[in-house]
Amino acid sequence: SIEFKKESRYGGGTLGDIMSSGLVTVPRLPLAETFGFFNPLDRMVLTANGNLQRLVSSYYDSAVSVYVDSCTPRLSASTQSALSSTQSQSSDVVVVWDRVVHLMVFNQTFCVATSVITVRDHLCVGLVESGKVGLGQLFRYMDLLPEFCLVNADRNNKSNNDNDDNDNTSDNRNKNNDDKDTGFWREYTLECAEVSCRIHENFIGGLWDMSSSLPPPPLLQDQI
């Protein structure tokens, strides 16, 4: 995995990242070699840590919308108590949500994000429960500096031939997968004392070739 950790509270600007400090990459391995992603725009998405909307919006010069499809607490006695007393100052709260959202540009879904969110702070519980605050906004609103770790990433719908022993090298197979542009996914975590998130994002094929004149692609719409 690749981690982005806080290097300095007074590091350089991060252009909308949820981390306000400088970031370092551990280990220092090229993303192309680590995950087989040769499209530089795809690699940019792999390491987005709260600024994905802004990156896609800037690329298309169009607004990106986020729609919350579900945000369901994993109910237990302690969870119900925490949800019913979010104004309490007790520090022993732990609430877990399963959350699904989709991101749209040109009224077309380009990403579906499935998250498991663990909250250990009463104010954060109230903000997540309200459904009015996105994850990136939550960290910024609370002035929290989470650590970002890219756990894994891969192309969607790889053909069985990719696992066959043939004359193609691993690099060539990965490059061919980029050419097919079947879309890709990434899984990452955001961690701090108050909130932990494990997020799986699935991106459509043709992410960088969308048009305002095209109908919505069916691939990810069916998964919402």
Side-chain angles (χ1 to χ4, degrees):
S1 64
I2 289 182
E3 297 183 34
F4 286 171
K5 293 187 176 182
K6 295 173 286 185
E7 185 179 43
S8 168
R9 178 76 181 185
Y10 303 101
T14 55
L15 299 178
D17 295 355
I18 55 178
M19 293 75 159
S20 63
S21 62
L23 303 177
V24 294
T25 304
V26 181
R28 296 182 181 278
L29 294 175
L31 290 173
E33 294 182 13
T34 306
F35 298 104
F37 280 63
F38 294 88
N39 184 328
L41 292 174
D42 291 349
R43 292 198 299 268
M44 180 177 66
V45 167
L46 289 187
T47 56
N49 53 37
N51 59 348
L52 177 62
Q53 285 177 256
R54 184 174 301 184
L55 294 175
V56 175
S57 178
S58 296
Y59 180 82
Y60 282 112
D61 198 18
S62 183
V64 168
S65 301
V66 180
Y67 295 91
V68 178
D69 299 296
S70 63
C71 188
T72 307
R74 298 183 180 181
L75 290 180
S76 64
S78 59
T79 296
Q80 291 175 329
S81 174
L83 293 176
S84 63
S85 59
T86 55
Q87 300 304 315
S88 168
Q89 298 302 311
S90 173
S91 59
D92 59 357
V93 60
V94 177
V95 183
V96 180
W97 276 273
D98 293 296
R99 186 172 185 263
V100 179
V101 305
H102 65 280
L103 287 73
M104 302 184 73
V105 65
F106 301 139
N107 205 33
Q108 303 169 55
T109 297
F110 66 86
C111 173
V112 172
T114 304
S115 312
V116 177
I117 307 169
T118 303
V119 178
R120 295 173 288 271
D121 178 89
H122 271 285
L123 179 55
C124 289
V125 167
L127 291 172
V128 175
E129 180 68 6
S130 72
K132 298 178 181 179
V133 179
L135 292 183
Q137 293 172 314
L138 174 65
F139 287 110
R140 284 191 289 269
Y141 180 84
M142 296 292 295
D143 195 25
L144 303 175
L145 301 180
E147 292 182 355
F148 171 94
C149 177
L150 180 61
V151 177
N152 204 357
D154 207 343
R155 315 302 303 186
N156 287 330
N157 303 321
K158 283 188 175 181
S159 66
N160 293 330
N161 292 334
D162 288 339
N163 297 321
D164 294 341
D165 292 330
N166 51 41
D167 294 335
N168 289 335
T169 65
S170 176
D171 284 349
N172 285 336
R173 288 198 299 270
N174 285 326
K175 287 179 181 178
N176 287 336
N177 285 330
D178 272 353
D179 292 340
K180 294 172 187 174
D181 199 7
T182 55
F184 62 94
W185 58 267
R186 67 167 180 164
E187 186 167 331
Y188 62 97
T189 60
L190 298 170
E191 297 276 351
C192 65
E194 296 84 356
V195 184
S196 300
C197 304
R198 190 175 187 96
I199 304 169
H200 180 99
E201 293 175 341
N202 191 14
F203 297 88
I204 64 167
L207 174 60
W208 309 113
D209 298 307
M210 300 177 71
S211 169
S212 59
S213 61
L214 295 178
L219 175 60
L220 294 184
Q221 294 283 16
D222 293 340
Q223 299 177 7
I224 296 175

